[in-house]
Amino acid sequence: MSVNALYHTYQRYRTLQTHNITALPIVILMPHSACNCRCVMCDIWKDNKNLKQLTEQDVSGLLLSLKKFGTQHVAMSGGEALLNANFFKLCAILKTQKIKISLLTTGLTIKKNAEQLIKWVDEIVVSLDGDGPLHDAIRNIPGAFDKLKEGVQYIKSLNPNYKITARTVIHRLNFRNWENIITEAKTMGIGQVSFLPADVSSHAFNRQMAWEEPKQHEILLSERELPELLEVINRIISKNEYFNSGFIAESPEKIKQIYQYYAAFYNLNPFPFKKCNAPWVSTVIEADGSVRPCFFHDVIGNIRDSSLVTILNSDAAFNFRKTLDMSTNATCVKCVCSLNLPPRMKPN
């Protein structure tokens, strides 16, 4: 390990021990607030008319903080990041610091942008919600599945080794289609697929108010559907090749936790325990410059008012991390998307 890597590892240990951010391996940026899908499990698209987006000035202004924190990885999320007309200029700014860039995308425009994506983005994570008809229905966009598939296959035709993975939110509308999702992912050339339950209880994804009845149960499985979910999960787990090959990113135990998550809403078991250090190793910067400790916790500042270093080490942010008990915090207990990054820096 190089001297720089050892120093960064030390800073990551120091951050976890002192709650003062001295290293920040991952930053999630939301370049554009709008989305080109109308997904049933997300409200982002409902605010498309109130457009917000990160500018070249915003990202350039982050560079000093990212350099100070030794940031290695930026994930472009959204909304749909590719709706930002200057998306690849933002990538070029980040690449001046040799930062790895991931793109989380609906996949609708990846074919049109294929050459630029291969040049500026290190890996793509696409959203996949079902086989063709179901994916289109959940996304509320006719032809969305075909555009996604064509885009994946076109990029693979240009660069067979380019990394494209898929992420699927499993919920009431698609859990019966789960095995078809795996088949479709393999058929279109996706290298790996990961699964998580739907967030039905937080203010994330542009929800002005947390979902209540009956909206919540459009996505949340009913108690009587839980045995069928467990049957589907057991069939998937029985296919050892999915896990032995790494095609499914999660372990069988993690896949079982999707059942446990939904069962917890009916007090059949506790919500699955999640080991997470997201507020210590990452941050989320939204399209208007707002900064959050993670997707699900409250805003703690804005990069248009202060530097990222100042925001993350403000008294309020420091006290949030120092007093956060993830085993009792209501947001953390029901979290569907935890991050646990070890302090040791992986070699390149």
Side-chain angles (χ1 to χ4, degrees), residues 83-233:
L83 290 177
N84 188 314
N86 294 314
F87 175 78
F88 294 108
K89 292 180 180 178
L90 305 186
C91 292
I93 293 168
L94 294 169
K95 284 298 182 183
T96 64
Q97 297 298 313
K98 299 180 179 178
I99 289 172
K100 177 182 177 181
I101 299 174
S102 299
L103 170 64
L104 283 67
T105 176
T106 64
L108 295 184
T109 63
I110 58 175
K111 182 177 181 180
K112 180 177 72 173
N113 293 291
E115 289 82 0
Q116 289 279 75
L117 287 167
I118 291 171
K119 179 179 180 180
W120 295 111
V121 176
D122 296 280
E123 61 182 13
I124 295 173
V125 183
V126 299
S127 297
L128 180 62
D129 295 302
D131 56 18
L134 184 58
H135 180 86
D136 290 0
I138 290 173
R139 295 263 140 190
N140 274 317
I141 299 292
F145 181 85
D146 289 340
K147 289 180 181 178
L148 168 61
K149 186 174 182 177
E150 289 169 7
V152 170
Q153 293 180 338
Y154 184 61
I155 290 175
K156 286 291 188 176
S157 74
L158 298 176
N159 182 351
N161 296 319
Y162 190 84
K163 186 176 181 181
I164 305 178
T165 61
R167 179 175 295 172
T168 299
V169 177
I170 296 294
H171 49 74
R172 187 177 193 178
L173 301 179
N174 69 356
F175 79 91
R176 296 180 180 91
N177 200 241
W178 197 337
E179 291 161 289
N180 289 341
I181 293 169
I182 296 170
T183 299
E184 293 290 359
K186 290 181 75 70
T187 299
M188 72 172 66
I190 284 170
Q192 187 181 62
V193 62
S194 66
F195 300 100
L196 69 162
D199 171 53
V200 297
S201 58
S202 81
H203 287 83
F205 310 108
N206 197 45
R207 296 171 192 155
Q208 301 306 310
M209 295 182 64
W211 283 352
E212 296 178 352
E213 296 280 4
K215 177 64 178 177
Q216 192 179 64
H217 275 273
E218 292 178 16
I219 300 302
L220 177 66
L221 276 76
S222 67
E223 186 171 358
R224 63 180 175 79
E225 291 172 316
L226 291 175
E228 190 177 356
L229 171 64
L230 190 57
E231 289 177 8
V232 173
I233 287 174

Side-chain angles (χ1 to χ4, degrees), residues 226-298:
L226 291 175
E228 190 177 356
L229 171 64
L230 190 57
E231 289 177 8
V232 173
I233 287 174
N234 287 335
R235 285 201 303 269
I236 290 169
I237 290 174
S238 71
K239 305 288 181 63
N240 291 327
E241 66 270 20
Y242 293 154
F243 300 95
N244 293 340
S245 65
F247 185 70
I248 293 180
E250 291 81 14
S251 67
E253 290 71 25
K254 284 280 185 71
I255 295 296
K256 289 178 183 177
Q257 287 182 1
I258 294 177
Y259 167 84
Q260 294 164 4
Y261 173 81
Y262 286 119
F265 281 94
Y266 304 100
N267 298 313
L268 300 179
N269 53 246
F271 282 94
F273 171 77
K274 292 164 289 291
K275 191 175 182 182
C276 178
N277 58 14
W280 291 264
V281 300
S282 67
T283 195
V284 175
I285 302 174
E286 298 182 336
D288 64 353
S290 297
V291 178
R292 295 179 185 269
C294 73
F295 282 105
F296 304 101
H297 283 287
D298 291 339

Side-chain angles (χ1 to χ4, degrees), residues 13-81:
Y13 272 109
R14 185 178 167 204
T15 293
L16 293 172
Q17 291 171 349
T18 66
H19 307 291
N20 186 63
I21 302 291
T22 53
L24 193 72
I26 299 174
V27 170
I28 297 97
L29 298 183
M30 296 181 176
H32 201 276
S33 64
C35 190
N36 52 9
C37 285
R38 300 165 61 87
C39 299
V40 296
M41 63 283 190
C42 175
D43 286 349
I44 288 175
W45 57 273
K46 293 182 179 179
D47 200 39
N48 279 0
K49 63 182 181 298
N50 296 317
L51 173 64
K52 298 177 281 292
Q53 58 186 337
L54 294 176
T55 66
E56 293 173 67
Q57 183 178 358
D58 290 328
V59 176
S60 295
L62 282 172
L63 291 185
L64 280 177
S65 292
L66 300 185
K67 184 175 182 179
K68 181 178 179 65
F69 285 141
T71 300
Q72 303 157 330
H73 187 180
V74 166
M76 299 290 207
S77 186
E80 173 53 59

